[in-house]
Short mmCIF file of all heavy atoms in Angstrom, two decimals:
data_model
loop_
_atom_site.label_atom_id
_atom_site.label_comp_id
_atom_site.label_asym_id
_atom_site.label_seq_id
_atom_site.Cartn_x
_atom_site.Cartn_y
_atom_site.Cartn_z
N PRO X 1 -11.58 0.67 9.94
CA PRO X 1 -10.40 0.50 9.11
C PRO X 1 -10.71 0.34 7.63
O PRO X 1 -9.84 0.54 6.80
CB PRO X 1 -9.73 -0.74 9.67
CG PRO X 1 -10.75 -1.43 10.48
CD PRO X 1 -11.77 -0.41 10.87
N GLY X 2 -11.90 -0.01 7.29
CA GLY X 2 -12.24 -0.09 5.88
C GLY X 2 -12.76 -1.45 5.48
O GLY X 2 -12.48 -2.46 6.10
N GLY X 3 -13.53 -1.44 4.42
CA GLY X 3 -14.10 -2.66 3.88
C GLY X 3 -13.77 -2.76 2.40
O GLY X 3 -12.71 -2.31 1.94
N LEU X 4 -14.70 -3.30 1.63
CA LEU X 4 -14.46 -3.50 0.21
C LEU X 4 -14.24 -2.19 -0.54
O LEU X 4 -13.42 -2.12 -1.45
CB LEU X 4 -15.62 -4.27 -0.42
CG LEU X 4 -15.71 -5.74 -0.03
CD1 LEU X 4 -16.94 -6.37 -0.65
CD2 LEU X 4 -14.46 -6.49 -0.46
N GLY X 5 -14.96 -1.14 -0.16
CA GLY X 5 -14.76 0.16 -0.81
C GLY X 5 -13.35 0.69 -0.60
O GLY X 5 -12.71 1.18 -1.53
N THR X 6 -12.86 0.58 0.63
CA THR X 6 -11.50 1.03 0.93
C THR X 6 -10.48 0.18 0.17
O THR X 6 -9.51 0.72 -0.38
CB THR X 6 -11.24 0.95 2.44
OG1 THR X 6 -12.22 1.75 3.11
CG2 THR X 6 -9.85 1.44 2.78
N LEU X 7 -10.70 -1.12 0.14
CA LEU X 7 -9.80 -2.02 -0.58
C LEU X 7 -9.77 -1.67 -2.06
O LEU X 7 -8.69 -1.60 -2.68
CB LEU X 7 -10.22 -3.47 -0.38
CG LEU X 7 -9.36 -4.53 -1.05
CD1 LEU X 7 -7.93 -4.46 -0.53
CD2 LEU X 7 -9.96 -5.90 -0.79
N GLU X 8 -10.93 -1.41 -2.64
CA GLU X 8 -11.01 -1.05 -4.06
C GLU X 8 -10.30 0.27 -4.32
O GLU X 8 -9.55 0.40 -5.29
CB GLU X 8 -12.49 -0.97 -4.50
CG GLU X 8 -12.68 -0.75 -5.98
CD GLU X 8 -12.64 0.71 -6.40
OE1 GLU X 8 -13.00 1.58 -5.59
OE2 GLU X 8 -12.23 0.97 -7.54
N GLU X 9 -10.50 1.25 -3.45
CA GLU X 9 -9.85 2.55 -3.63
C GLU X 9 -8.34 2.43 -3.50
O GLU X 9 -7.59 3.07 -4.24
CB GLU X 9 -10.41 3.55 -2.62
CG GLU X 9 -11.85 3.92 -2.93
CD GLU X 9 -12.55 4.61 -1.78
OE1 GLU X 9 -12.00 4.63 -0.66
OE2 GLU X 9 -13.67 5.11 -2.01
N LEU X 10 -7.88 1.62 -2.56
CA LEU X 10 -6.44 1.40 -2.40
C LEU X 10 -5.86 0.77 -3.66
O LEU X 10 -4.84 1.22 -4.18
CB LEU X 10 -6.19 0.50 -1.19
CG LEU X 10 -4.75 0.11 -0.95
CD1 LEU X 10 -3.91 1.33 -0.63
CD2 LEU X 10 -4.67 -0.91 0.18
N ALA X 11 -6.51 -0.26 -4.18
CA ALA X 11 -6.04 -0.91 -5.40
C ALA X 11 -6.05 0.06 -6.57
O ALA X 11 -5.12 0.07 -7.39
CB ALA X 11 -6.89 -2.14 -5.71
N GLU X 12 -7.05 0.89 -6.64
CA GLU X 12 -7.15 1.85 -7.73
C GLU X 12 -6.01 2.86 -7.70
O GLU X 12 -5.36 3.12 -8.71
CB GLU X 12 -8.49 2.57 -7.66
CG GLU X 12 -8.75 3.53 -8.80
CD GLU X 12 -10.16 4.08 -8.75
OE1 GLU X 12 -10.66 4.42 -7.65
OE2 GLU X 12 -10.75 4.16 -9.84
N VAL X 13 -5.73 3.41 -6.53
CA VAL X 13 -4.66 4.40 -6.41
C VAL X 13 -3.30 3.76 -6.69
O VAL X 13 -2.44 4.37 -7.34
CB VAL X 13 -4.71 5.08 -5.03
CG1 VAL X 13 -3.50 5.97 -4.80
CG2 VAL X 13 -5.98 5.90 -4.89
N LEU X 14 -3.10 2.53 -6.21
CA LEU X 14 -1.84 1.84 -6.51
C LEU X 14 -1.73 1.53 -8.00
O LEU X 14 -0.65 1.64 -8.59
CB LEU X 14 -1.72 0.56 -5.69
CG LEU X 14 -1.45 0.76 -4.20
CD1 LEU X 14 -1.61 -0.55 -3.44
CD2 LEU X 14 -0.07 1.36 -3.97
N SER X 15 -2.83 1.16 -8.63
CA SER X 15 -2.85 0.90 -10.07
C SER X 15 -2.54 2.16 -10.86
O SER X 15 -1.80 2.12 -11.85
CB SER X 15 -4.20 0.35 -10.51
OG SER X 15 -4.43 -0.91 -9.95
N TRP X 16 -3.08 3.29 -10.44
CA TRP X 16 -2.80 4.56 -11.12
C TRP X 16 -1.30 4.87 -11.07
O TRP X 16 -0.73 5.32 -12.05
CB TRP X 16 -3.57 5.70 -10.49
CG TRP X 16 -5.04 5.70 -10.74
CD1 TRP X 16 -5.73 4.94 -11.65
CD2 TRP X 16 -6.01 6.49 -10.07
NE1 TRP X 16 -7.07 5.22 -11.57
CE2 TRP X 16 -7.27 6.17 -10.62
CE3 TRP X 16 -5.94 7.43 -9.05
CZ2 TRP X 16 -8.44 6.77 -10.18
CZ3 TRP X 16 -7.11 8.02 -8.61
CH2 TRP X 16 -8.35 7.70 -9.17
N ALA X 17 -0.69 4.60 -9.93
CA ALA X 17 0.75 4.83 -9.82
C ALA X 17 1.51 3.88 -10.74
O ALA X 17 2.46 4.28 -11.41
CB ALA X 17 1.20 4.63 -8.36
N GLN X 18 1.08 2.63 -10.79
CA GLN X 18 1.71 1.63 -11.65
C GLN X 18 1.62 2.05 -13.12
O GLN X 18 2.54 1.83 -13.89
CB GLN X 18 1.03 0.29 -11.43
CG GLN X 18 1.73 -0.89 -12.03
CD GLN X 18 1.02 -2.18 -11.69
OE1 GLN X 18 -0.21 -2.27 -11.80
NE2 GLN X 18 1.78 -3.18 -11.29
N LEU X 19 0.52 2.68 -13.48
CA LEU X 19 0.32 3.15 -14.86
C LEU X 19 0.98 4.49 -15.15
O LEU X 19 0.92 4.97 -16.28
CB LEU X 19 -1.19 3.25 -15.14
CG LEU X 19 -1.95 1.93 -15.15
CD1 LEU X 19 -3.45 2.19 -15.18
CD2 LEU X 19 -1.50 1.06 -16.30
N GLY X 20 1.58 5.08 -14.12
CA GLY X 20 2.26 6.36 -14.32
C GLY X 20 1.36 7.57 -14.25
O GLY X 20 1.76 8.66 -14.66
N LEU X 21 0.16 7.41 -13.72
CA LEU X 21 -0.76 8.55 -13.62
C LEU X 21 -0.41 9.47 -12.45
O LEU X 21 -0.86 10.60 -12.39
CB LEU X 21 -2.20 8.06 -13.51
CG LEU X 21 -2.70 7.25 -14.71
CD1 LEU X 21 -4.10 6.73 -14.45
CD2 LEU X 21 -2.64 8.08 -15.98
N HIS X 22 0.36 8.98 -11.51
CA HIS X 22 0.90 9.82 -10.43
C HIS X 22 2.15 9.13 -9.90
O HIS X 22 2.40 7.96 -10.19
CB HIS X 22 -0.13 10.06 -9.31
CG HIS X 22 -0.42 8.87 -8.46
ND1 HIS X 22 0.36 8.52 -7.39
CD2 HIS X 22 -1.43 7.96 -8.51
CE1 HIS X 22 -0.14 7.44 -6.82
NE2 HIS X 22 -1.23 7.08 -7.48
N ASP X 23 2.95 9.88 -9.15
CA ASP X 23 4.18 9.30 -8.60
C ASP X 23 4.26 9.50 -7.09
O ASP X 23 5.34 9.59 -6.52
CB ASP X 23 5.41 9.87 -9.30
CG ASP X 23 5.58 11.36 -9.07
OD1 ASP X 23 4.66 11.99 -8.49
OD2 ASP X 23 6.62 11.91 -9.45
N LYS X 24 3.12 9.54 -6.46
CA LYS X 24 3.07 9.77 -5.02
C LYS X 24 3.00 8.44 -4.27
O LYS X 24 2.47 7.45 -4.79
CB LYS X 24 1.84 10.62 -4.69
CG LYS X 24 1.92 12.00 -5.31
CD LYS X 24 0.61 12.73 -5.16
CE LYS X 24 0.68 14.13 -5.70
NZ LYS X 24 1.07 14.24 -7.09
N PRO X 25 3.47 8.42 -3.03
CA PRO X 25 3.31 7.22 -2.22
C PRO X 25 1.85 7.07 -1.80
O PRO X 25 1.06 8.02 -1.85
CB PRO X 25 4.20 7.49 -1.00
CG PRO X 25 4.25 8.97 -0.90
CD PRO X 25 4.17 9.49 -2.32
N VAL X 26 1.49 5.88 -1.40
CA VAL X 26 0.15 5.59 -0.89
C VAL X 26 0.34 5.11 0.55
O VAL X 26 1.19 4.27 0.82
CB VAL X 26 -0.54 4.50 -1.75
CG1 VAL X 26 -1.91 4.18 -1.20
CG2 VAL X 26 -0.61 4.96 -3.21
N ALA X 27 -0.43 5.66 1.46
CA ALA X 27 -0.21 5.38 2.88
C ALA X 27 -1.43 4.80 3.56
O ALA X 27 -2.56 5.19 3.26
CB ALA X 27 0.22 6.65 3.60
N LEU X 28 -1.18 3.87 4.47
CA LEU X 28 -2.22 3.30 5.32
C LEU X 28 -1.80 3.45 6.77
O LEU X 28 -0.70 3.05 7.15
CB LEU X 28 -2.39 1.80 5.05
CG LEU X 28 -3.11 1.37 3.79
CD1 LEU X 28 -3.03 -0.14 3.64
CD2 LEU X 28 -4.57 1.82 3.82
N LEU X 29 -2.66 4.03 7.57
CA LEU X 29 -2.47 4.07 9.01
C LEU X 29 -3.13 2.81 9.57
O LEU X 29 -4.34 2.62 9.39
CB LEU X 29 -3.09 5.33 9.61
CG LEU X 29 -2.96 5.49 11.11
CD1 LEU X 29 -1.49 5.52 11.53
CD2 LEU X 29 -3.68 6.75 11.57
N ASP X 30 -2.34 1.95 10.20
CA ASP X 30 -2.82 0.63 10.62
C ASP X 30 -2.43 0.35 12.08
O ASP X 30 -1.58 -0.49 12.35
CB ASP X 30 -2.22 -0.43 9.69
CG ASP X 30 -2.86 -1.78 9.86
OD1 ASP X 30 -3.95 -1.87 10.44
OD2 ASP X 30 -2.25 -2.77 9.40
N PRO X 31 -3.06 1.04 13.03
CA PRO X 31 -2.63 0.91 14.43
C PRO X 31 -2.90 -0.45 15.06
O PRO X 31 -2.26 -0.80 16.05
CB PRO X 31 -3.45 2.00 15.15
CG PRO X 31 -4.63 2.23 14.30
CD PRO X 31 -4.17 1.99 12.88
N VAL X 32 -3.80 -1.25 14.51
CA VAL X 32 -4.11 -2.55 15.12
C VAL X 32 -3.81 -3.74 14.21
O VAL X 32 -4.23 -4.86 14.49
CB VAL X 32 -5.58 -2.60 15.60
CG1 VAL X 32 -5.83 -1.60 16.71
CG2 VAL X 32 -6.55 -2.39 14.45
N GLY X 33 -3.11 -3.52 13.11
CA GLY X 33 -2.70 -4.61 12.24
C GLY X 33 -3.77 -5.12 11.30
O GLY X 33 -3.64 -6.21 10.74
N TYR X 34 -4.82 -4.34 11.09
CA TYR X 34 -5.93 -4.76 10.23
C TYR X 34 -5.46 -5.09 8.82
O TYR X 34 -5.94 -6.03 8.19
CB TYR X 34 -6.98 -3.64 10.21
CG TYR X 34 -8.21 -3.93 9.38
CD1 TYR X 34 -9.25 -4.68 9.92
CD2 TYR X 34 -8.33 -3.47 8.08
CE1 TYR X 34 -10.39 -4.95 9.19
CE2 TYR X 34 -9.47 -3.73 7.34
CZ TYR X 34 -10.49 -4.47 7.89
OH TYR X 34 -11.62 -4.74 7.15
N TRP X 35 -4.52 -4.32 8.30
CA TRP X 35 -4.06 -4.47 6.92
C TRP X 35 -2.83 -5.37 6.79
O TRP X 35 -2.29 -5.53 5.70
CB TRP X 35 -3.76 -3.10 6.31
CG TRP X 35 -4.99 -2.25 6.18
CD1 TRP X 35 -5.34 -1.18 6.96
CD2 TRP X 35 -6.04 -2.41 5.22
NE1 TRP X 35 -6.54 -0.67 6.53
CE2 TRP X 35 -6.99 -1.40 5.48
CE3 TRP X 35 -6.28 -3.30 4.18
CZ2 TRP X 35 -8.16 -1.26 4.73
CZ3 TRP X 35 -7.44 -3.17 3.43
CH2 TRP X 35 -8.37 -2.15 3.70
N ALA X 36 -2.38 -5.99 7.85
CA ALA X 36 -1.16 -6.82 7.82
C ALA X 36 -1.29 -7.98 6.84
O ALA X 36 -0.33 -8.30 6.12
CB ALA X 36 -0.82 -7.32 9.21
N ASP X 37 -2.44 -8.62 6.79
CA ASP X 37 -2.61 -9.75 5.87
C ASP X 37 -2.57 -9.29 4.41
O ASP X 37 -2.06 -10.01 3.55
CB ASP X 37 -3.91 -10.50 6.15
CG ASP X 37 -3.87 -11.27 7.46
OD1 ASP X 37 -2.76 -11.58 7.94
OD2 ASP X 37 -4.96 -11.57 7.99
N LEU X 38 -3.10 -8.11 4.14
CA LEU X 38 -3.01 -7.57 2.78
C LEU X 38 -1.56 -7.33 2.41
O LEU X 38 -1.13 -7.67 1.31
CB LEU X 38 -3.81 -6.28 2.65
CG LEU X 38 -3.68 -5.59 1.29
CD1 LEU X 38 -4.25 -6.46 0.17
CD2 LEU X 38 -4.37 -4.23 1.31
N ARG X 39 -0.80 -6.77 3.32
CA ARG X 39 0.62 -6.52 3.07
C ARG X 39 1.34 -7.86 2.79
O ARG X 39 2.15 -7.94 1.87
CB ARG X 39 1.24 -5.80 4.26
CG ARG X 39 2.70 -5.48 4.14
CD ARG X 39 2.95 -4.46 3.09
NE ARG X 39 4.38 -4.34 2.88
CZ ARG X 39 4.96 -3.30 2.37
NH1 ARG X 39 4.26 -2.25 2.01
NH2 ARG X 39 6.25 -3.26 2.20
N SER X 40 1.02 -8.89 3.55
CA SER X 40 1.62 -10.21 3.33
C SER X 40 1.24 -10.76 1.95
O SER X 40 2.08 -11.34 1.24
CB SER X 40 1.17 -11.20 4.41
OG SER X 40 1.66 -10.81 5.65
N PHE X 41 -0.02 -10.58 1.58
CA PHE X 41 -0.48 -11.01 0.25
C PHE X 41 0.31 -10.30 -0.85
O PHE X 41 0.77 -10.93 -1.81
CB PHE X 41 -1.97 -10.73 0.11
CG PHE X 41 -2.48 -10.86 -1.30
CD1 PHE X 41 -2.73 -12.10 -1.86
CD2 PHE X 41 -2.69 -9.72 -2.08
CE1 PHE X 41 -3.19 -12.21 -3.17
CE2 PHE X 41 -3.15 -9.83 -3.38
CZ PHE X 41 -3.40 -11.07 -3.93
N LEU X 42 0.49 -9.01 -0.70
CA LEU X 42 1.22 -8.24 -1.72
C LEU X 42 2.70 -8.63 -1.75
O LEU X 42 3.30 -8.68 -2.83
CB LEU X 42 1.04 -6.74 -1.47
CG LEU X 42 -0.39 -6.23 -1.66
CD1 LEU X 42 -0.49 -4.77 -1.23
CD2 LEU X 42 -0.87 -6.42 -3.09
N GLU X 43 3.28 -8.92 -0.60
CA GLU X 43 4.66 -9.42 -0.56
C GLU X 43 4.77 -10.73 -1.33
O GLU X 43 5.72 -10.94 -2.07
CB GLU X 43 5.13 -9.62 0.89
CG GLU X 43 5.44 -8.37 1.64
CD GLU X 43 6.76 -7.73 1.23
OE1 GLU X 43 7.56 -8.36 0.49
OE2 GLU X 43 6.99 -6.60 1.65
N ARG X 44 3.80 -11.61 -1.14
CA ARG X 44 3.82 -12.88 -1.87
C ARG X 44 3.66 -12.64 -3.37
O ARG X 44 4.28 -13.33 -4.19
CB ARG X 44 2.72 -13.82 -1.37
CG ARG X 44 2.75 -15.13 -2.12
CD ARG X 44 2.00 -16.20 -1.48
NE ARG X 44 2.10 -17.41 -2.30
CZ ARG X 44 1.32 -18.44 -2.17
NH1 ARG X 44 0.39 -18.45 -1.24
NH2 ARG X 44 1.48 -19.48 -2.94
N ALA X 45 2.83 -11.67 -3.75
CA ALA X 45 2.66 -11.34 -5.16
C ALA X 45 3.99 -10.91 -5.77
O ALA X 45 4.28 -11.23 -6.93
CB ALA X 45 1.60 -10.25 -5.33
N VAL X 46 4.82 -10.21 -5.00
CA VAL X 46 6.15 -9.83 -5.47
C VAL X 46 7.01 -11.09 -5.67
O VAL X 46 7.63 -11.28 -6.71
CB VAL X 46 6.83 -8.84 -4.50
CG1 VAL X 46 8.30 -8.65 -4.85
CG2 VAL X 46 6.10 -7.50 -4.51
N VAL X 47 7.03 -11.94 -4.66
CA VAL X 47 7.83 -13.17 -4.71
C VAL X 47 7.42 -14.05 -5.89
O VAL X 47 8.26 -14.61 -6.59
CB VAL X 47 7.71 -13.96 -3.38
CG1 VAL X 47 8.30 -15.35 -3.50
CG2 VAL X 47 8.35 -13.18 -2.25
N GLU X 48 6.12 -14.12 -6.15
CA GLU X 48 5.60 -14.95 -7.23
C GLU X 48 5.69 -14.28 -8.60
O GLU X 48 5.38 -14.91 -9.62
CB GLU X 48 4.14 -15.33 -6.94
CG GLU X 48 3.94 -16.14 -5.67
CD GLU X 48 4.43 -17.56 -5.77
OE1 GLU X 48 4.51 -18.10 -6.90
OE2 GLU X 48 4.76 -18.15 -4.72
N GLY X 49 6.11 -13.03 -8.63
CA GLY X 49 6.30 -12.34 -9.90
C GLY X 49 5.07 -11.64 -10.46
O GLY X 49 5.06 -11.24 -11.62
N PHE X 50 4.04 -11.48 -9.64
CA PHE X 50 2.82 -10.81 -10.11
C PHE X 50 2.84 -9.31 -9.86
O PHE X 50 2.01 -8.58 -10.40
CB PHE X 50 1.59 -11.41 -9.43
CG PHE X 50 1.35 -12.84 -9.84
CD1 PHE X 50 1.63 -13.88 -8.98
CD2 PHE X 50 0.84 -13.13 -11.10
CE1 PHE X 50 1.41 -15.20 -9.35
CE2 PHE X 50 0.62 -14.44 -11.49
CZ PHE X 50 0.91 -15.48 -10.61
N LEU X 51 3.75 -8.85 -9.02
CA LEU X 51 3.84 -7.44 -8.65
C LEU X 51 5.31 -7.07 -8.56
O LEU X 51 6.11 -7.83 -8.00
CB LEU X 51 3.14 -7.21 -7.30
CG LEU X 51 3.12 -5.80 -6.74
CD1 LEU X 51 2.30 -4.87 -7.65
CD2 LEU X 51 2.53 -5.80 -5.34
N ALA X 52 5.66 -5.94 -9.12
CA ALA X 52 7.05 -5.47 -9.05
C ALA X 52 7.32 -4.86 -7.67
O ALA X 52 6.46 -4.18 -7.10
CB ALA X 52 7.30 -4.44 -10.15
N ARG X 53 8.51 -5.10 -7.16
CA ARG X 53 8.89 -4.57 -5.84
C ARG X 53 8.69 -3.05 -5.76
O ARG X 53 8.14 -2.56 -4.76
CB ARG X 53 10.34 -4.96 -5.55
CG ARG X 53 10.95 -4.34 -4.31
CD ARG X 53 10.41 -4.80 -3.00
NE ARG X 53 10.42 -6.24 -2.85
CZ ARG X 53 9.80 -6.85 -1.84
NH1 ARG X 53 9.18 -6.15 -0.92
NH2 ARG X 53 9.80 -8.15 -1.75
N PRO X 54 9.09 -2.26 -6.76
CA PRO X 54 8.87 -0.80 -6.66
C PRO X 54 7.39 -0.42 -6.52
O PRO X 54 7.06 0.56 -5.85
CB PRO X 54 9.44 -0.26 -7.96
CG PRO X 54 10.44 -1.27 -8.39
CD PRO X 54 9.87 -2.59 -7.96
N ASP X 55 6.51 -1.20 -7.12
CA ASP X 55 5.08 -0.90 -6.99
C ASP X 55 4.62 -1.16 -5.55
O ASP X 55 3.82 -0.39 -5.00
CB ASP X 55 4.26 -1.73 -7.97
CG ASP X 55 4.51 -1.32 -9.41
OD1 ASP X 55 4.72 -0.11 -9.66
OD2 ASP X 55 4.51 -2.20 -10.29
N LEU X 56 5.12 -2.22 -4.93
CA LEU X 56 4.78 -2.48 -3.54
C LEU X 56 5.38 -1.43 -2.62
O LEU X 56 4.75 -1.02 -1.64
CB LEU X 56 5.25 -3.87 -3.12
CG LEU X 56 5.02 -4.23 -1.65
CD1 LEU X 56 3.54 -4.14 -1.28
CD2 LEU X 56 5.58 -5.59 -1.34
N GLU X 57 6.57 -0.96 -2.94
CA GLU X 57 7.24 0.01 -2.08
C GLU X 57 6.53 1.36 -2.06
O GLU X 57 6.80 2.18 -1.19
CB GLU X 57 8.70 0.14 -2.48
CG GLU X 57 9.49 -1.11 -2.12
CD GLU X 57 10.91 -1.10 -2.63
OE1 GLU X 57 11.30 -0.16 -3.35
OE2 GLU X 57 11.63 -2.06 -2.31
N ARG X 58 5.63 1.60 -3.00
CA ARG X 58 4.82 2.83 -2.95
C ARG X 58 3.87 2.81 -1.76
O ARG X 58 3.43 3.85 -1.29
CB ARG X 58 3.97 2.96 -4.20
CG ARG X 58 4.70 3.25 -5.44
CD ARG X 58 3.68 3.38 -6.56
NE ARG X 58 4.29 3.25 -7.84
CZ ARG X 58 4.91 4.23 -8.48
NH1 ARG X 58 5.01 5.41 -7.93
NH2 ARG X 58 5.45 4.02 -9.66
N LEU X 59 3.52 1.61 -1.31
CA LEU X 59 2.57 1.46 -0.21
C LEU X 59 3.30 1.57 1.12
O LEU X 59 4.13 0.73 1.46
CB LEU X 59 1.85 0.12 -0.30
CG LEU X 59 0.83 -0.17 0.80
CD1 LEU X 59 -0.29 0.87 0.79
CD2 LEU X 59 0.27 -1.57 0.63
N ILE X 60 2.98 2.61 1.85
CA ILE X 60 3.57 2.83 3.17
C ILE X 60 2.52 2.46 4.21
O ILE X 60 1.40 2.98 4.19
CB ILE X 60 3.99 4.31 3.34
CG1 ILE X 60 5.06 4.66 2.31
CG2 ILE X 60 4.45 4.58 4.75
CD1 ILE X 60 5.36 6.14 2.23
N VAL X 61 2.88 1.54 5.09
CA VAL X 61 1.99 1.13 6.18
C VAL X 61 2.70 1.41 7.49
O VAL X 61 3.85 1.01 7.67
CB VAL X 61 1.63 -0.37 6.07
CG1 VAL X 61 0.68 -0.76 7.18
CG2 VAL X 61 1.04 -0.70 4.71
N ALA X 62 2.02 2.11 8.38
CA ALA X 62 2.60 2.43 9.68
C ALA X 62 1.55 2.25 10.77
O ALA X 62 0.35 2.39 10.50
CB ALA X 62 3.14 3.85 9.70
N THR X 63 2.01 1.96 11.98
CA THR X 63 1.09 1.71 13.08
C THR X 63 0.76 2.97 13.88
O THR X 63 -0.15 2.94 14.69
CB THR X 63 1.66 0.64 14.03
OG1 THR X 63 2.92 1.08 14.51
CG2 THR X 63 1.79 -0.69 13.30
N ASP X 64 1.50 4.04 13.67
CA ASP X 64 1.18 5.28 14.38
C ASP X 64 1.35 6.47 13.43
O ASP X 64 2.13 6.43 12.48
CB ASP X 64 2.05 5.46 15.63
CG ASP X 64 3.50 5.68 15.29
OD1 ASP X 64 4.24 4.68 15.16
OD2 ASP X 64 3.91 6.85 15.14
N LEU X 65 0.59 7.51 13.71
CA LEU X 65 0.54 8.66 12.82
C LEU X 65 1.90 9.36 12.70
O LEU X 65 2.30 9.74 11.61
CB LEU X 65 -0.52 9.66 13.30
CG LEU X 65 -0.76 10.86 12.41
CD1 LEU X 65 -1.15 10.46 11.01
CD2 LEU X 65 -1.80 11.78 13.04
N HIS X 66 2.61 9.51 13.79
CA HIS X 66 3.91 10.18 13.76
C HIS X 66 4.87 9.45 12.81
O HIS X 66 5.55 10.08 11.99
CB HIS X 66 4.50 10.26 15.17
CG HIS X 66 5.80 10.98 15.23
ND1 HIS X 66 5.92 12.34 15.08
CD2 HIS X 66 7.05 10.50 15.41
CE1 HIS X 66 7.19 12.67 15.16
NE2 HIS X 66 7.90 11.58 15.36
N SER X 67 4.91 8.15 12.91
CA SER X 67 5.77 7.35 12.04
C SER X 67 5.34 7.48 10.58
O SER X 67 6.17 7.62 9.68
CB SER X 67 5.73 5.88 12.48
OG SER X 67 6.42 5.07 11.58
N LEU X 68 4.03 7.42 10.37
CA LEU X 68 3.51 7.53 9.00
C LEU X 68 3.88 8.87 8.38
O LEU X 68 4.39 8.92 7.26
CB LEU X 68 2.00 7.34 9.01
CG LEU X 68 1.32 7.35 7.64
CD1 LEU X 68 1.75 6.14 6.83
CD2 LEU X 68 -0.18 7.36 7.80
N LEU X 69 3.66 9.94 9.10
CA LEU X 69 4.00 11.27 8.57
C LEU X 69 5.50 11.41 8.34
O LEU X 69 5.92 12.02 7.35
CB LEU X 69 3.49 12.35 9.52
CG LEU X 69 1.97 12.45 9.62
CD1 LEU X 69 1.57 13.49 10.67
CD2 LEU X 69 1.35 12.78 8.28
N GLY X 70 6.30 10.82 9.21
CA GLY X 70 7.75 10.85 9.03
C GLY X 70 8.19 10.14 7.76
O GLY X 70 9.07 10.59 7.05
N ARG X 71 7.56 9.03 7.48
CA ARG X 71 7.91 8.27 6.28
C ARG X 71 7.44 8.98 5.02
O ARG X 71 8.07 8.89 3.97
CB ARG X 71 7.34 6.86 6.35
CG ARG X 71 8.06 6.04 7.43
CD ARG X 71 7.51 4.67 7.59
NE ARG X 71 7.74 3.88 6.38
CZ ARG X 71 7.15 2.72 6.15
NH1 ARG X 71 6.30 2.23 7.04
NH2 ARG X 71 7.40 2.05 5.05
N LEU X 72 6.33 9.71 5.11
CA LEU X 72 5.84 10.46 3.95
C LEU X 72 6.72 11.67 3.66
O LEU X 72 6.81 12.11 2.53
CB LEU X 72 4.39 10.90 4.17
CG LEU X 72 3.35 9.80 4.06
CD1 LEU X 72 1.99 10.34 4.50
CD2 LEU X 72 3.28 9.25 2.66
N ALA X 73 7.39 12.19 4.68
CA ALA X 73 8.22 13.38 4.53
C ALA X 73 9.54 13.08 3.84
O ALA X 73 10.22 13.99 3.38
CB ALA X 73 8.47 14.02 5.88
N LEU X 74 9.92 11.82 3.73
CA LEU X 74 11.21 11.46 3.12
C LEU X 74 11.25 11.76 1.66
O LEU X 74 10.42 11.71 0.90
CB LEU X 74 11.51 9.98 3.37
CG LEU X 74 11.73 9.60 4.81
CD1 LEU X 74 11.91 8.09 4.94
CD2 LEU X 74 12.92 10.30 5.40
#
């Protein structure tokens, strides 16, 4: 599922979107809930005012590939 390199790359791509360098969604396939705690952390960052809700909404997390692809197609 990924380690520090994956985490760094995810943060980088989300940061690029925040800076306006791209306007694409960022997706994580998470069939066993590995990234659930990160999602919770980011939700708290929104609540605490450190992250804007639209920036978090760029991150799509799904537990199965069919669902993930469906959400990307929207």
Side-chain angles (χ1 to χ4, degrees):
L4 289 177
T6 302
L7 181 60
E8 186 274 330
E9 291 165 350
L10 176 64
E12 184 173 42
V13 172
L14 288 170
S15 294
W16 288 348
Q18 192 177 46
L19 294 170
L21 299 176
H22 72 84
D23 64 352
K24 296 171 177 57
V26 179
L28 284 174
L29 180 60
D30 191 17
V32 296
Y34 182 83
W35 295 105
D37 290 338
L38 175 63
R39 180 68 188 202
S40 295
F41 168 79
L42 294 173
E43 285 285 350
R44 180 164 180 195
V46 169
V47 169
E48 299 288 335
F50 294 105
L51 180 65
R53 172 69 53 190
D55 292 325
L56 177 58
E57 289 173 356
R58 290 182 198 278
L59 180 61
I60 298 170
V61 181
T63 58
D64 67 272
L65 184 58
H66 182 72
S67 173
L68 183 66
L69 293 176
R71 291 178 66 193
L72 286 172
L74 295 175

